[in-house]
PDB file of all heavy atoms in Angstrom:
ATOM      1  N   PHE S  80       0.842  -1.196   0.000  1.00 88.00           N
ATOM      2  CA  PHE S  80       0.000   0.000   0.000  1.00 88.00           C
ATOM      3  C   PHE S  80       0.876   1.245   0.000  1.00 88.00           C
ATOM      4  O   PHE S  80       1.810   1.359   0.798  1.00 88.00           O
ATOM      5  CB  PHE S  80      -0.908   0.011   1.229  1.00 88.00           C
ATOM      6  CG  PHE S  80      -1.733   1.261   1.345  1.00 88.00           C
ATOM      7  CD1 PHE S  80      -2.794   1.494   0.473  1.00 88.00           C
ATOM      8  CD2 PHE S  80      -1.438   2.211   2.302  1.00 88.00           C
ATOM      9  CE1 PHE S  80      -3.550   2.653   0.567  1.00 88.00           C
ATOM     10  CE2 PHE S  80      -2.187   3.375   2.405  1.00 88.00           C
ATOM     11  CZ  PHE S  80      -3.245   3.582   1.537  1.00 88.00           C
ATOM     12  N   CYS S  81       0.584   2.164  -0.901  1.00 87.00           N
ATOM     13  CA  CYS S  81       1.318   3.434  -0.970  1.00 87.00           C
ATOM     14  C   CYS S  81       0.320   4.586  -1.012  1.00 87.00           C
ATOM     15  O   CYS S  81      -0.474   4.684  -1.955  1.00 87.00           O
ATOM     16  CB  CYS S  81       2.223   3.474  -2.198  1.00 87.00           C
ATOM     17  SG  CYS S  81       3.273   4.958  -2.274  1.00 87.00           S
ATOM     18  N   PRO S  82       0.318   5.453  -0.005  1.00 87.00           N
ATOM     19  CA  PRO S  82      -0.584   6.611  -0.022  1.00 87.00           C
ATOM     20  C   PRO S  82      -0.233   7.574  -1.155  1.00 87.00           C
ATOM     21  O   PRO S  82       0.866   7.540  -1.706  1.00 87.00           O
ATOM     22  CB  PRO S  82      -0.344   7.256   1.344  1.00 87.00           C
ATOM     23  CG  PRO S  82       0.313   6.209   2.175  1.00 87.00           C
ATOM     24  CD  PRO S  82       1.108   5.382   1.222  1.00 87.00           C
ATOM     25  N   ALA S  83      -1.157   8.431  -1.483  1.00 86.00           N
ATOM     26  CA  ALA S  83      -0.943   9.429  -2.529  1.00 86.00           C
ATOM     27  C   ALA S  83       0.230  10.343  -2.168  1.00 86.00           C
ATOM     28  O   ALA S  83       0.463  10.643  -0.993  1.00 86.00           O
ATOM     29  CB  ALA S  83      -2.213  10.256  -2.727  1.00 86.00           C
ATOM     30  N   HIS S  84       0.983  10.756  -3.211  1.00 85.00           N
ATOM     31  CA  HIS S  84       2.075  11.723  -3.102  1.00 85.00           C
ATOM     32  C   HIS S  84       3.280  11.192  -2.315  1.00 85.00           C
ATOM     33  O   HIS S  84       4.092  11.987  -1.847  1.00 85.00           O
ATOM     34  CB  HIS S  84       1.590  13.035  -2.488  1.00 85.00           C
ATOM     35  CG  HIS S  84       0.407  13.629  -3.197  1.00 85.00           C
ATOM     36  ND1 HIS S  84       0.422  13.924  -4.543  1.00 85.00           N
ATOM     37  CD2 HIS S  84      -0.844  13.937  -2.744  1.00 85.00           C
ATOM     38  CE1 HIS S  84      -0.755  14.407  -4.884  1.00 85.00           C
ATOM     39  NE2 HIS S  84      -1.542  14.419  -3.824  1.00 85.00           N
ATOM     40  N   VAL S  85       3.395   9.881  -2.174  1.00 85.00           N
ATOM     41  CA  VAL S  85       4.573   9.284  -1.541  1.00 85.00           C
ATOM     42  C   VAL S  85       5.461   8.708  -2.638  1.00 85.00           C
ATOM     43  O   VAL S  85       4.996   7.990  -3.519  1.00 85.00           O
ATOM     44  CB  VAL S  85       4.174   8.176  -0.546  1.00 85.00           C
ATOM     45  CG1 VAL S  85       5.407   7.435  -0.033  1.00 85.00           C
ATOM     46  CG2 VAL S  85       3.403   8.773   0.629  1.00 85.00           C
ATOM     47  N   THR S  86       6.754   9.030  -2.583  1.00 85.00           N
ATOM     48  CA  THR S  86       7.702   8.538  -3.582  1.00 85.00           C
ATOM     49  C   THR S  86       7.771   7.016  -3.554  1.00 85.00           C
ATOM     50  O   THR S  86       7.757   6.403  -2.495  1.00 85.00           O
ATOM     51  CB  THR S  86       9.101   9.111  -3.316  1.00 85.00           C
ATOM     52  OG1 THR S  86       9.026  10.532  -3.326  1.00 85.00           O
ATOM     53  CG2 THR S  86      10.079   8.656  -4.385  1.00 85.00           C
ATOM     54  N   MET S  87       7.896   6.421  -4.745  1.00 84.00           N
ATOM     55  CA  MET S  87       7.861   4.963  -4.836  1.00 84.00           C
ATOM     56  C   MET S  87       8.839   4.503  -5.922  1.00 84.00           C
ATOM     57  O   MET S  87       8.872   5.058  -7.016  1.00 84.00           O
ATOM     58  CB  MET S  87       6.434   4.529  -5.203  1.00 84.00           C
ATOM     59  CG  MET S  87       6.184   3.059  -5.256  1.00 84.00           C
ATOM     60  SD  MET S  87       4.412   2.786  -5.641  1.00 84.00           S
ATOM     61  CE  MET S  87       4.323   1.023  -5.475  1.00 84.00           C
ATOM     62  N   THR S  88       9.675   3.515  -5.600  1.00 86.00           N
ATOM     63  CA  THR S  88      10.523   2.884  -6.602  1.00 86.00           C
ATOM     64  C   THR S  88      10.435   1.373  -6.417  1.00 86.00           C
ATOM     65  O   THR S  88      10.408   0.882  -5.289  1.00 86.00           O
ATOM     66  CB  THR S  88      11.997   3.322  -6.478  1.00 86.00           C
ATOM     67  OG1 THR S  88      12.451   3.077  -5.143  1.00 86.00           O
ATOM     68  CG2 THR S  88      12.168   4.777  -6.819  1.00 86.00           C
ATOM     69  N   ILE S  89      10.381   0.643  -7.535  1.00 87.00           N
ATOM     70  CA  ILE S  89      10.221  -0.805  -7.501  1.00 87.00           C
ATOM     71  C   ILE S  89      11.166  -1.433  -8.510  1.00 87.00           C
ATOM     72  O   ILE S  89      11.270  -0.968  -9.646  1.00 87.00           O
ATOM     73  CB  ILE S  89       8.779  -1.226  -7.864  1.00 87.00           C
ATOM     74  CG1 ILE S  89       7.756  -0.554  -6.942  1.00 87.00           C
ATOM     75  CG2 ILE S  89       8.624  -2.742  -7.803  1.00 87.00           C
ATOM     76  CD1 ILE S  89       6.317  -0.741  -7.407  1.00 87.00           C
ATOM     77  N   HIS S  90      11.847  -2.492  -8.092  1.00 86.00           N
ATOM     78  CA  HIS S  90      12.625  -3.300  -9.026  1.00 86.00           C
ATOM     79  C   HIS S  90      12.315  -4.758  -8.735  1.00 86.00           C
ATOM     80  O   HIS S  90      12.456  -5.214  -7.596  1.00 86.00           O
ATOM     81  CB  HIS S  90      14.125  -3.055  -8.873  1.00 86.00           C
ATOM     82  CG  HIS S  90      14.944  -3.903  -9.811  1.00 86.00           C
ATOM     83  ND1 HIS S  90      15.249  -3.498 -11.104  1.00 86.00           N
ATOM     84  CD2 HIS S  90      15.478  -5.145  -9.674  1.00 86.00           C
ATOM     85  CE1 HIS S  90      15.947  -4.450 -11.695  1.00 86.00           C
ATOM     86  NE2 HIS S  90      16.095  -5.462 -10.850  1.00 86.00           N
ATOM     87  N   CYS S  91      11.871  -5.498  -9.748  1.00 89.00           N
ATOM     88  CA  CYS S  91      11.479  -6.892  -9.571  1.00 89.00           C
ATOM     89  C   CYS S  91      12.283  -7.800 -10.495  1.00 89.00           C
ATOM     90  O   CYS S  91      12.620  -7.421 -11.618  1.00 89.00           O
ATOM     91  CB  CYS S  91       9.990  -7.069  -9.844  1.00 89.00           C
ATOM     92  SG  CYS S  91       8.951  -6.213  -8.648  1.00 89.00           S
ATOM     93  N   GLU S  92      12.536  -9.012 -10.017  1.00 86.00           N
ATOM     94  CA  GLU S  92      13.353  -9.973 -10.751  1.00 86.00           C
ATOM     95  C   GLU S  92      12.624 -10.529 -11.966  1.00 86.00           C
ATOM     96  O   GLU S  92      13.217 -10.741 -13.018  1.00 86.00           O
ATOM     97  CB  GLU S  92      13.740 -11.116  -9.811  1.00 86.00           C
ATOM     98  CG  GLU S  92      14.502 -12.249 -10.461  1.00 86.00           C
ATOM     99  CD  GLU S  92      14.704 -13.421  -9.514  1.00 86.00           C
ATOM    100  OE1 GLU S  92      14.054 -13.460  -8.459  1.00 86.00           O
ATOM    101  OE2 GLU S  92      15.514 -14.298  -9.852  1.00 86.00           O
ATOM    102  N   LYS S  93      11.329 -10.790 -11.854  1.00 87.00           N
ATOM    103  CA  LYS S  93      10.587 -11.398 -12.946  1.00 87.00           C
ATOM    104  C   LYS S  93       9.186 -10.812 -13.021  1.00 87.00           C
ATOM    105  O   LYS S  93       8.727 -10.135 -12.090  1.00 87.00           O
ATOM    106  CB  LYS S  93      10.528 -12.908 -12.779  1.00 87.00           C
ATOM    107  CG  LYS S  93       9.836 -13.371 -11.504  1.00 87.00           C
ATOM    108  CD  LYS S  93       9.869 -14.891 -11.392  1.00 87.00           C
ATOM    109  CE  LYS S  93       9.118 -15.377 -10.164  1.00 87.00           C
ATOM    110  NZ  LYS S  93       9.118 -16.853 -10.043  1.00 87.00           N
ATOM    111  N   GLU S  94       8.498 -11.073 -14.132  1.00 89.00           N
ATOM    112  CA  GLU S  94       7.146 -10.549 -14.275  1.00 89.00           C
ATOM    113  C   GLU S  94       6.224 -11.212 -13.260  1.00 89.00           C
ATOM    114  O   GLU S  94       6.473 -12.337 -12.817  1.00 89.00           O
ATOM    115  CB  GLU S  94       6.629 -10.761 -15.698  1.00 89.00           C
ATOM    116  CG  GLU S  94       6.314 -12.179 -16.065  1.00 89.00           C
ATOM    117  CD  GLU S  94       5.662 -12.272 -17.439  1.00 89.00           C
ATOM    118  OE1 GLU S  94       5.798 -11.329 -18.232  1.00 89.00           O
ATOM    119  OE2 GLU S  94       5.017 -13.302 -17.701  1.00 89.00           O
ATOM    120  N   TYR S  95       5.171 -10.506 -12.917  1.00 91.00           N
ATOM    121  CA  TYR S  95       4.243 -11.032 -11.917  1.00 91.00           C
ATOM    122  C   TYR S  95       2.829 -10.515 -12.198  1.00 91.00           C
ATOM    123  O   TYR S  95       2.643  -9.482 -12.839  1.00 91.00           O
ATOM    124  CB  TYR S  95       4.686 -10.636 -10.507  1.00 91.00           C
ATOM    125  CG  TYR S  95       4.705  -9.140 -10.250  1.00 91.00           C
ATOM    126  CD1 TYR S  95       3.644  -8.496  -9.625  1.00 91.00           C
ATOM    127  CD2 TYR S  95       5.791  -8.367 -10.639  1.00 91.00           C
ATOM    128  CE1 TYR S  95       3.667  -7.136  -9.385  1.00 91.00           C
ATOM    129  CE2 TYR S  95       5.827  -7.000 -10.410  1.00 91.00           C
ATOM    130  CZ  TYR S  95       4.764  -6.392  -9.771  1.00 91.00           C
ATOM    131  OH  TYR S  95       4.782  -5.037  -9.543  1.00 91.00           O
ATOM    132  N   GLU S  96       1.862 -11.258 -11.704  1.00 91.00           N
ATOM    133  CA  GLU S  96       0.462 -10.865 -11.828  1.00 91.00           C
ATOM    134  C   GLU S  96       0.019 -10.132 -10.569  1.00 91.00           C
ATOM    135  O   GLU S  96       0.427 -10.492  -9.459  1.00 91.00           O
ATOM    136  CB  GLU S  96      -0.419 -12.089 -12.048  1.00 91.00           C
ATOM    137  CG  GLU S  96      -0.202 -12.792 -13.373  1.00 91.00           C
ATOM    138  CD  GLU S  96      -1.130 -13.984 -13.515  1.00 91.00           C
ATOM    139  OE1 GLU S  96      -2.311 -13.766 -13.851  1.00 91.00           O
ATOM    140  OE2 GLU S  96      -0.680 -15.110 -13.262  1.00 91.00           O
ATOM    141  N   SER S  97      -0.808  -9.140 -10.741  1.00 93.00           N
ATOM    142  CA  SER S  97      -1.272  -8.384  -9.583  1.00 93.00           C
ATOM    143  C   SER S  97      -2.598  -7.712  -9.889  1.00 93.00           C
ATOM    144  O   SER S  97      -3.029  -7.616 -11.045  1.00 93.00           O
ATOM    145  CB  SER S  97      -0.241  -7.321  -9.189  1.00 93.00           C
ATOM    146  OG  SER S  97      -0.143  -6.334 -10.209  1.00 93.00           O
ATOM    147  N   ILE S  98      -3.236  -7.265  -8.822  1.00 93.00           N
ATOM    148  CA  ILE S  98      -4.421  -6.413  -8.933  1.00 93.00           C
ATOM    149  C   ILE S  98      -4.060  -5.070  -8.307  1.00 93.00           C
ATOM    150  O   ILE S  98      -3.633  -5.006  -7.156  1.00 93.00           O
ATOM    151  CB  ILE S  98      -5.636  -7.007  -8.204  1.00 93.00           C
ATOM    152  CG1 ILE S  98      -5.981  -8.393  -8.751  1.00 93.00           C
ATOM    153  CG2 ILE S  98      -6.847  -6.076  -8.350  1.00 93.00           C
ATOM    154  CD1 ILE S  98      -7.102  -9.085  -7.988  1.00 93.00           C
ATOM    155  N   LEU S  99      -4.197  -4.009  -9.088  1.00 93.00           N
ATOM    156  CA  LEU S  99      -3.932  -2.656  -8.600  1.00 93.00           C
ATOM    157  C   LEU S  99      -5.263  -1.944  -8.391  1.00 93.00           C
ATOM    158  O   LEU S  99      -6.079  -1.864  -9.319  1.00 93.00           O
ATOM    159  CB  LEU S  99      -3.088  -1.871  -9.607  1.00 93.00           C
ATOM    160  CG  LEU S  99      -2.975  -0.361  -9.364  1.00 93.00           C
ATOM    161  CD1 LEU S  99      -2.199  -0.080  -8.083  1.00 93.00           C
ATOM    162  CD2 LEU S  99      -2.317   0.330 -10.559  1.00 93.00           C
ATOM    163  N   LEU S 100      -5.480  -1.449  -7.177  1.00 91.00           N
ATOM    164  CA  LEU S 100      -6.676  -0.665  -6.888  1.00 91.00           C
ATOM    165  C   LEU S 100      -6.258   0.776  -6.650  1.00 91.00           C
ATOM    166  O   LEU S 100      -5.375   1.047  -5.824  1.00 91.00           O
ATOM    167  CB  LEU S 100      -7.407  -1.202  -5.656  1.00 91.00           C
ATOM    168  CG  LEU S 100      -8.733  -0.491  -5.359  1.00 91.00           C
ATOM    169  CD1 LEU S 100      -9.799  -0.940  -6.354  1.00 91.00           C
ATOM    170  CD2 LEU S 100      -9.202  -0.751  -3.941  1.00 91.00           C
ATOM    171  N   CYS S 101      -6.869   1.705  -7.378  1.00 91.00           N
ATOM    172  CA  CYS S 101      -6.583   3.132  -7.253  1.00 91.00           C
ATOM    173  C   CYS S 101      -7.754   3.793  -6.528  1.00 91.00           C
ATOM    174  O   CYS S 101      -8.893   3.734  -7.006  1.00 91.00           O
ATOM    175  CB  CYS S 101      -6.395   3.770  -8.630  1.00 91.00           C
ATOM    176  SG  CYS S 101      -5.177   2.927  -9.668  1.00 91.00           S
ATOM    177  N   LEU S 102      -7.458   4.398  -5.401  1.00 89.00           N
ATOM    178  CA  LEU S 102      -8.506   4.996  -4.575  1.00 89.00           C
ATOM    179  C   LEU S 102      -8.239   6.487  -4.414  1.00 89.00           C
ATOM    180  O   LEU S 102      -7.179   6.896  -3.914  1.00 89.00           O
ATOM    181  CB  LEU S 102      -8.540   4.319  -3.202  1.00 89.00           C
ATOM    182  CG  LEU S 102      -9.571   4.820  -2.200  1.00 89.00           C
ATOM    183  CD1 LEU S 102     -10.986   4.525  -2.694  1.00 89.00           C
ATOM    184  CD2 LEU S 102      -9.347   4.161  -0.842  1.00 89.00           C
ATOM    185  N   SER S 103      -9.172   7.297  -4.832  1.00 87.00           N
ATOM    186  CA  SER S 103      -9.015   8.747  -4.738  1.00 87.00           C
ATOM    187  C   SER S 103      -8.992   9.193  -3.273  1.00 87.00           C
ATOM    188  O   SER S 103      -9.828   8.750  -2.480  1.00 87.00           O
ATOM    189  CB  SER S 103     -10.170   9.445  -5.462  1.00 87.00           C
ATOM    190  OG  SER S 103     -10.226  10.815  -5.122  1.00 87.00           O
ATOM    191  N   PRO S 104      -8.047  10.060  -2.895  1.00 86.00           N
ATOM    192  CA  PRO S 104      -8.057  10.589  -1.521  1.00 86.00           C
ATOM    193  C   PRO S 104      -9.366  11.288  -1.181  1.00 86.00           C
ATOM    194  O   PRO S 104      -9.779  11.306  -0.018  1.00 86.00           O
ATOM    195  CB  PRO S 104      -6.885  11.580  -1.527  1.00 86.00           C
ATOM    196  CG  PRO S 104      -5.967  11.066  -2.588  1.00 86.00           C
ATOM    197  CD  PRO S 104      -6.877  10.518  -3.655  1.00 86.00           C
ATOM    198  N   ALA S 105     -10.026  11.871  -2.193  1.00 85.00           N
ATOM    199  CA  ALA S 105     -11.305  12.552  -1.943  1.00 85.00           C
ATOM    200  C   ALA S 105     -12.349  11.563  -1.435  1.00 85.00           C
ATOM    201  O   ALA S 105     -13.128  11.860  -0.522  1.00 85.00           O
ATOM    202  CB  ALA S 105     -11.789  13.241  -3.216  1.00 85.00           C
ATOM    203  N   VAL S 106     -12.373  10.370  -2.042  1.00 82.00           N
ATOM    204  CA  VAL S 106     -13.303   9.327  -1.587  1.00 82.00           C
ATOM    205  C   VAL S 106     -12.955   8.912  -0.163  1.00 82.00           C
ATOM    206  O   VAL S 106     -13.820   8.800   0.708  1.00 82.00           O
ATOM    207  CB  VAL S 106     -13.246   8.103  -2.531  1.00 82.00           C
ATOM    208  CG1 VAL S 106     -14.054   6.946  -1.962  1.00 82.00           C
ATOM    209  CG2 VAL S 106     -13.758   8.485  -3.912  1.00 82.00           C
ATOM    210  N   PHE S 107     -11.680   8.675   0.083  1.00 80.00           N
ATOM    211  CA  PHE S 107     -11.217   8.263   1.402  1.00 80.00           C
ATOM    212  C   PHE S 107     -11.568   9.316   2.458  1.00 80.00           C
ATOM    213  O   PHE S 107     -12.094   8.996   3.534  1.00 80.00           O
ATOM    214  CB  PHE S 107      -9.710   8.036   1.346  1.00 80.00           C
ATOM    215  CG  PHE S 107      -9.124   7.472   2.603  1.00 80.00           C
ATOM    216  CD1 PHE S 107      -9.074   6.108   2.807  1.00 80.00           C
ATOM    217  CD2 PHE S 107      -8.604   8.310   3.573  1.00 80.00           C
ATOM    218  CE1 PHE S 107      -8.523   5.576   3.965  1.00 80.00           C
ATOM    219  CE2 PHE S 107      -8.051   7.794   4.731  1.00 80.00           C
ATOM    220  CZ  PHE S 107      -8.008   6.430   4.925  1.00 80.00           C
ATOM    221  N   ASN S 108     -11.300  10.586   2.148  1.00 80.00           N
ATOM    222  CA  ASN S 108     -11.558  11.658   3.109  1.00 80.00           C
ATOM    223  C   ASN S 108     -13.052  11.855   3.343  1.00 80.00           C
ATOM    224  O   ASN S 108     -13.469  12.181   4.459  1.00 80.00           O
ATOM    225  CB  ASN S 108     -10.925  12.963   2.623  1.00 80.00           C
ATOM    226  CG  ASN S 108      -9.410  12.883   2.593  1.00 80.00           C
ATOM    227  OD1 ASN S 108      -8.811  12.086   3.295  1.00 80.00           O
ATOM    228  ND2 ASN S 108      -8.787  13.703   1.757  1.00 80.00           N
ATOM    229  N   ARG S 109     -13.839  11.685   2.289  1.00 81.00           N
ATOM    230  CA  ARG S 109     -15.293  11.826   2.442  1.00 81.00           C
ATOM    231  C   ARG S 109     -15.846  10.781   3.407  1.00 81.00           C
ATOM    232  O   ARG S 109     -16.711  11.078   4.242  1.00 81.00           O
ATOM    233  CB  ARG S 109     -15.978  11.708   1.079  1.00 81.00           C
ATOM    234  CG  ARG S 109     -17.493  11.951   1.145  1.00 81.00           C
ATOM    235  CD  ARG S 109     -18.115  12.057  -0.232  1.00 81.00           C
ATOM    236  NE  ARG S 109     -18.038  10.803  -0.965  1.00 81.00           N
ATOM    237  CZ  ARG S 109     -17.329  10.623  -2.060  1.00 81.00           C
ATOM    238  NH1 ARG S 109     -16.602  11.618  -2.558  1.00 81.00           N
ATOM    239  NH2 ARG S 109     -17.321   9.462  -2.682  1.00 81.00           N
ATOM    240  N   ILE S 110     -15.346   9.569   3.297  1.00 79.00           N
ATOM    241  CA  ILE S 110     -15.796   8.507   4.199  1.00 79.00           C
ATOM    242  C   ILE S 110     -15.321   8.794   5.620  1.00 79.00           C
ATOM    243  O   ILE S 110     -16.063   8.610   6.592  1.00 79.00           O
ATOM    244  CB  ILE S 110     -15.276   7.146   3.707  1.00 79.00           C
ATOM    245  CG1 ILE S 110     -15.929   6.798   2.359  1.00 79.00           C
ATOM    246  CG2 ILE S 110     -15.549   6.042   4.723  1.00 79.00           C
ATOM    247  CD1 ILE S 110     -15.314   5.611   1.659  1.00 79.00           C
ATOM    248  N   ALA S 111     -14.074   9.280   5.756  1.00 76.00           N
ATOM    249  CA  ALA S 111     -13.544   9.600   7.080  1.00 76.00           C
ATOM    250  C   ALA S 111     -14.360  10.694   7.757  1.00 76.00           C
ATOM    251  O   ALA S 111     -14.592  10.656   8.975  1.00 76.00           O
ATOM    252  CB  ALA S 111     -12.081  10.023   6.967  1.00 76.00           C
ATOM    253  N   ASP S 112     -14.822  11.666   6.976  1.00 75.00           N
ATOM    254  CA  ASP S 112     -15.610  12.768   7.534  1.00 75.00           C
ATOM    255  C   ASP S 112     -16.948  12.294   8.081  1.00 75.00           C
ATOM    256  O   ASP S 112     -17.542  12.940   8.949  1.00 75.00           O
ATOM    257  CB  ASP S 112     -15.855  13.840   6.463  1.00 75.00           C
ATOM    258  CG  ASP S 112     -14.586  14.603   6.112  1.00 75.00           C
ATOM    259  OD1 ASP S 112     -13.631  14.557   6.916  1.00 75.00           O
ATOM    260  OD2 ASP S 112     -14.543  15.217   5.035  1.00 75.00           O
ATOM    261  N   GLN S 113     -17.433  11.156   7.579  1.00 75.00           N
ATOM    262  CA  GLN S 113     -18.719  10.624   8.038  1.00 75.00           C
ATOM    263  C   GLN S 113     -18.590   9.815   9.326  1.00 75.00           C
ATOM    264  O   GLN S 113     -19.591   9.436   9.929  1.00 75.00           O
ATOM    265  CB  GLN S 113     -19.334   9.745   6.950  1.00 75.00           C
ATOM    266  CG  GLN S 113     -19.647  10.483   5.655  1.00 75.00           C
ATOM    267  CD  GLN S 113     -20.120   9.553   4.563  1.00 75.00           C
ATOM    268  OE1 GLN S 113     -20.606   8.460   4.816  1.00 75.00           O
ATOM    269  NE2 GLN S 113     -19.977   9.987   3.315  1.00 75.00           N
ATOM    270  N   LEU S 114     -17.350   9.550   9.748  1.00 71.00           N
ATOM    271  CA  LEU S 114     -17.104   8.730  10.934  1.00 71.00           C
ATOM    272  C   LEU S 114     -16.620   9.614  12.071  1.00 71.00           C
ATOM    273  O   LEU S 114     -15.604  10.291  11.964  1.00 71.00           O
ATOM    274  CB  LEU S 114     -16.053   7.657  10.630  1.00 71.00           C
ATOM    275  CG  LEU S 114     -16.368   6.721   9.443  1.00 71.00           C
ATOM    276  CD1 LEU S 114     -15.194   5.804   9.183  1.00 71.00           C
ATOM    277  CD2 LEU S 114     -17.625   5.903   9.731  1.00 71.00           C
ATOM    278  N   ASP S 115     -17.337   9.595  13.172  1.00 63.00           N
ATOM    279  CA  ASP S 115     -16.968  10.428  14.313  1.00 63.00           C
ATOM    280  C   ASP S 115     -15.650   9.984  14.942  1.00 63.00           C
ATOM    281  O   ASP S 115     -14.918  10.795  15.507  1.00 63.00           O
ATOM    282  CB  ASP S 115     -18.073  10.383  15.375  1.00 63.00           C
ATOM    283  CG  ASP S 115     -19.376  11.009  14.869  1.00 63.00           C
ATOM    284  OD1 ASP S 115     -19.300  11.884  13.985  1.00 63.00           O
ATOM    285  OD2 ASP S 115     -20.444  10.607  15.358  1.00 63.00           O
ATOM    286  N   ASP S 116     -15.369   8.668  14.852  1.00 59.00           N
ATOM    287  CA  ASP S 116     -14.176   8.137  15.519  1.00 59.00           C
ATOM    288  C   ASP S 116     -13.041   7.845  14.537  1.00 59.00           C
ATOM    289  O   ASP S 116     -12.133   7.076  14.838  1.00 59.00           O
ATOM    290  CB  ASP S 116     -14.523   6.849  16.279  1.00 59.00           C
ATOM    291  CG  ASP S 116     -15.161   5.793  15.371  1.00 59.00           C
ATOM    292  OD1 ASP S 116     -15.518   6.138  14.224  1.00 59.00           O
ATOM    293  OD2 ASP S 116     -15.309   4.642  15.827  1.00 59.00           O
ATOM    294  N   ALA S 117     -13.083   8.443  13.330  1.00 58.00           N
ATOM    295  CA  ALA S 117     -12.033   8.191  12.347  1.00 58.00           C
ATOM    296  C   ALA S 117     -10.699   8.737  12.856  1.00 58.00           C
ATOM    297  O   ALA S 117     -10.637   9.842  13.391  1.00 58.00           O
ATOM    298  CB  ALA S 117     -12.376   8.846  11.012  1.00 58.00           C
ATOM    299  N   PRO S 118      -9.604   7.985  12.719  1.00 57.00           N
ATOM    300  CA  PRO S 118      -8.293   8.461  13.182  1.00 57.00           C
ATOM    301  C   PRO S 118      -7.835   9.670  12.374  1.00 57.00           C
ATOM    302  O   PRO S 118      -8.130   9.783  11.190  1.00 57.00           O
ATOM    303  CB  PRO S 118      -7.379   7.256  12.948  1.00 57.00           C
ATOM    304  CG  PRO S 118      -8.060   6.454  11.891  1.00 57.00           C
ATOM    305  CD  PRO S 118      -9.523   6.648  12.103  1.00 57.00           C
ATOM    306  N   LYS S 119      -7.109  10.559  13.025  1.00 54.00           N
ATOM    307  CA  LYS S 119      -6.663  11.792  12.375  1.00 54.00           C
ATOM    308  C   LYS S 119      -5.270  11.677  11.763  1.00 54.00           C
ATOM    309  O   LYS S 119      -4.885  12.503  10.949  1.00 54.00           O
ATOM    310  CB  LYS S 119      -6.666  12.938  13.400  1.00 54.00           C
ATOM    311  CG  LYS S 119      -8.032  13.156  14.057  1.00 54.00           C
ATOM    312  CD  LYS S 119      -9.123  13.404  13.025  1.00 54.00           C
ATOM    313  CE  LYS S 119     -10.475  13.627  13.707  1.00 54.00           C
ATOM    314  NZ  LYS S 119     -11.567  13.778  12.722  1.00 54.00           N
ATOM    315  N   ALA S 120      -4.511  10.650  12.158  1.00 55.00           N
ATOM    316  CA  ALA S 120      -3.159  10.499  11.620  1.00 55.00           C
ATOM    317  C   ALA S 120      -3.201  10.088  10.159  1.00 55.00           C
ATOM    318  O   ALA S 120      -4.209   9.571   9.669  1.00 55.00           O
ATOM    319  CB  ALA S 120      -2.394   9.445  12.436  1.00 55.00           C
ATOM    320  N   HIS S 121      -2.100  10.309   9.456  1.00 68.00           N
ATOM    321  CA  HIS S 121      -2.017   9.943   8.045  1.00 68.00           C
ATOM    322  C   HIS S 121      -1.891   8.432   7.905  1.00 68.00           C
ATOM    323  O   HIS S 121      -1.265   7.761   8.719  1.00 68.00           O
ATOM    324  CB  HIS S 121      -0.816  10.618   7.387  1.00 68.00           C
ATOM    325  CG  HIS S 121      -0.948  12.102   7.292  1.00 68.00           C
ATOM    326  ND1 HIS S 121      -1.917  12.714   6.527  1.00 68.00           N
ATOM    327  CD2 HIS S 121      -0.226  13.099   7.862  1.00 68.00           C
ATOM    328  CE1 HIS S 121      -1.793  14.036   6.630  1.00 68.00           C
ATOM    329  NE2 HIS S 121      -0.779  14.284   7.443  1.00 68.00           N
TER     330      HIS S 121
END
């Protein structure tokens, strides 16, 4: 998992299969705003 705007570098030995899910911070923040007990840390 890599949050938005965090530098990322990857080097892999061989090809691999994966599922990549892209989640907008706006969606994440909107859900957090609806929760009274949502954590405030990043």
Side-chain angles (χ1 to χ4, degrees):
F80 176 72
C81 185
H84 306 304
V85 172
T86 303
M87 184 178 186
T88 55
I89 304 170
H90 179 87
C91 294
E92 175 187 13
K93 61 182 183 179
E94 71 174 20
Y95 62 97
E96 293 181 80
S97 66
I98 302 175
L99 168 67
L100 185 75
C101 307
L102 180 65
S103 166
V106 172
F107 186 88
N108 294 337
R109 184 171 66 246
I110 294 169
D112 289 342
Q113 298 174 22
L114 304 175
D115 295 333
D116 56 349
K119 303 304 180 184
H121 293 295

